[in-house]
Amino acid sequence: LVATLYHALEDSSSLVEAARPVMARLAAEHRETLHLTMHDHGRLLLVEAMDGNRPLHVSTNVLGPHVALNQAPPGRLHLASFSPARLELWLNEHCRSGGGVDCRARLTEDLARIAAEGFDSGPIGEDEDLICLAARVCDHAGRAVAVLSMTVPEGRHARQPRAFRSVTVEAAQQISARLGYKPG
C-alpha cells in the first residue's frame, strides 16, 4: 500500500502543481467544495481537496476511497476512461450479486456517454441532497489522468445547473492546458 501510494504521489506531483492554482481560484470565486481525484485499484484516490466556505458547505470527506467508483460522478468518469479489457475486469468483479452495480448494460451505456462528454454529474451514492459535477483532466498526450469535481448542495445546483457545469468543465480544461493538453 505504501509503495502504491508513493507512486501515485510521484505521478500526481505535476498534476497537483498544475491544478492547485486553478482550484484555488475556483474556490475563491465560487466558495464550493472541490476534489481532484485519480483512481487506484478500483478506488477513488484524493489527490487534492479544498473545502467550500459557504454557510451551508460540503465536507471534503464526502469523496474518497470509501465511495465505490460507480457511486459518484468522479468515479464513473474514471471508469469511462478504462480500456475495454480493464472495464470488463472491473465489471466482472463488481457485477456479482451484491456487488453494487445494478445493471451491467445500463452502466456500460452510461459510461460510453460519459466518455464522449468528459463530464458527469449527480448525487454521491444515495445522498440526493448533494450534486457532484465532475470533468475529465487530460495530460499532454490526451490521456485522462484525473477528474476535477465540485460538490454543492442540491438547492444551489438547481438554481444554476448550467453555470455549475460550465465552471467545472472550464476549470478542468484549464488544468489540462497547464499539463500541455491541446484539444483537437
Side-chain angles (χ1 to χ4, degrees), residues 29 58 83 97 105 126 164:
E29 289 176 5
V58 177
S83 69
S97 62
E126 301 296 320
F164 280 112

Side-chain angles (χ1 to χ4, degrees), residues 1-81:
L1 179 61
V2 171
T4 299
L5 290 175
Y6 173 76
H7 287 295
L9 176 63
E10 189 176 86
D11 291 345
S12 66
S13 62
S14 61
L15 172 64
V16 171
E17 187 177 306
R20 198 169 273 150
V22 175
M23 291 176 71
R25 180 193 48 76
L26 191 62
E29 289 176 5
H30 298 281
R31 300 174 30 218
E32 301 290 0
T33 299
L34 304 170
H35 294 90
L36 185 68
T37 61
M38 297 174 77
H39 62 85
D40 178 55
H41 295 86
R43 295 176 301 200
L44 280 176
L45 177 64
L46 286 179
V47 178
E48 182 77 346
M50 294 186 179
D51 245 332
N53 64 358
R54 290 183 175 256
L56 177 58
H57 77 278
V58 177
S59 168
T60 56
N61 295 333
V62 73
L63 282 178
H66 61 282
V67 178
L69 290 179
N70 61 301
Q71 292 181 331
R76 288 190 296 270
L77 259 172
H78 288 298
L79 285 171
S81 70

Side-chain angles (χ1 to χ4, degrees), residues 88-150:
E88 187 66 25
L89 287 172
W90 189 91
L91 289 169
N92 288 341
E93 184 178 331
H94 292 86
C95 287
R96 296 182 191 125
S97 62
V101 178
D102 295 329
C103 178
R104 182 185 187 113
R106 181 173 177 203
L107 179 61
T108 303
E109 184 179 302
D110 287 346
L111 293 176
R113 175 190 51 79
I114 292 166
E117 292 181 19
F119 176 83
D120 191 22
S121 66
I124 297 171
E126 301 296 320
D127 191 343
E128 299 288 331
D129 295 332
L130 299 176
I131 300 296
C132 181
L133 302 103
R136 178 176 47 223
V137 173
C138 297
D139 68 5
H140 65 284
R143 293 180 302 232
V145 293
V147 171
L148 173 70
S149 64
M150 179 186 290

